[in-house]
Amino acid sequence: PFIMGLRLGGAGSISKESPGGRMSGPFQSNRGPLCPAEALLLLGAIAERQEEFEQAQAYYEESLAIRREIGDQDGEAFIISSLGQMSISKLDFEKARLLLEEGFLLYAAIRHIWGMSLSSTDIGTLDWLEGSYEQTSSKFEQSLSTWRGRGDSAGVSSALSCLGALARSRGCVG
């Protein structure tokens, strides 16, 4: 269930009366009204940023439930990956790995290249934190290959930055 009557800045609300349970008022994007799942995602991100992890998880899980209910596989993969990233912040690496790998598999199932590449980087970062440098390098190189194949210069730059940081941490560069 989603939050009924949530007020953001005194304008706009989520309610049963809104078409499709979507936001009413000024909260519009070029994709249409901001839906409750997106609002909950944003609230979760704010709570996570403030290190209020329990509240963030509650918002993320509520957003996830809505996304599953409406069949939003892309959103489902994103939320699961976000929960995995938050688990890294909480130093719960076992849970993080399960969530990040689930997110990757969901992105792969819908052939979401951007999500797969970012998930590879997240899993590589987790490998790095656990001391598995060969796996880290492999994941970062997988991400680099994907970005190069798409001609995405920002993605290439990010992947190269990750590979450079890994090399510096291993004493491979000065």
Side-chain angles (χ1 to χ4, degrees), residues 98-111:
L98 291 172
L99 290 164
L100 292 173
E101 288 177 354
E102 181 181 356
F104 178 85
L105 292 174
L106 286 168
Y107 279 130
I110 59 173
R111 296 191 170 136

Side-chain angles (χ1 to χ4, degrees), residues 9-158:
S13 66
I14 302 171
S15 69
K16 282 185 175 177
E17 292 74 34
S18 299
R22 295 186 172 273
M23 291 293 290
S24 63
F27 302 102
Q28 302 290 319
S29 70
N30 37 353
R31 295 183 324 182
L34 181 63
C35 75
E38 291 175 282
L40 289 162
L41 169 64
L42 293 173
L43 290 169
I46 292 167
E48 181 180 354
R49 179 82 173 151
Q50 296 172 342
E51 296 185 4
E52 296 174 6
F53 296 124
E54 287 182 28
Q55 185 62 60
Q57 183 161 343
Y59 285 133
Y60 285 149
E61 287 178 356
E62 196 165 355
S63 180
L64 180 60
I66 294 169
R67 291 172 189 281
R68 284 180 171 157
E69 183 179 324
I70 64 174
D72 177 9
Q73 293 176 308
D74 175 59
E76 181 180 350
F78 185 83
I79 296 291
I80 289 170
S81 296
S82 296
L83 286 164
Q85 293 164 355
M86 187 172 68
S87 294
I88 291 175
S89 297
K90 294 167 47 178
L91 304 178
D92 187 347
F93 295 162
E94 185 177 332
K95 183 175 183 180
R97 181 163 307 280
L98 291 172
L99 290 164
L100 292 173
E101 288 177 354
E102 181 181 356
F104 178 85
L105 292 174
L106 286 168
Y107 279 130
I110 59 173
R111 296 191 170 136
H112 192 291
I113 304 301
W114 176 84
M116 290 168 58
S117 187
L118 291 177
S119 291
S120 289
T121 300
D122 289 340
I123 294 168
T125 300
L126 180 58
D127 289 336
W128 186 357
L129 292 170
E130 293 179 326
S132 301
Y133 302 112
E134 293 302 318
Q135 288 178 318
T136 301
S137 181
S138 174
K139 290 295 185 187
F140 289 170
E141 288 170 7
Q142 179 182 1
S143 183
L144 175 62
S145 175
T146 301
W147 292 126
R148 278 190 173 147
R150 295 186 57 82
D152 186 315
S153 59
V156 167
S157 177
S158 176

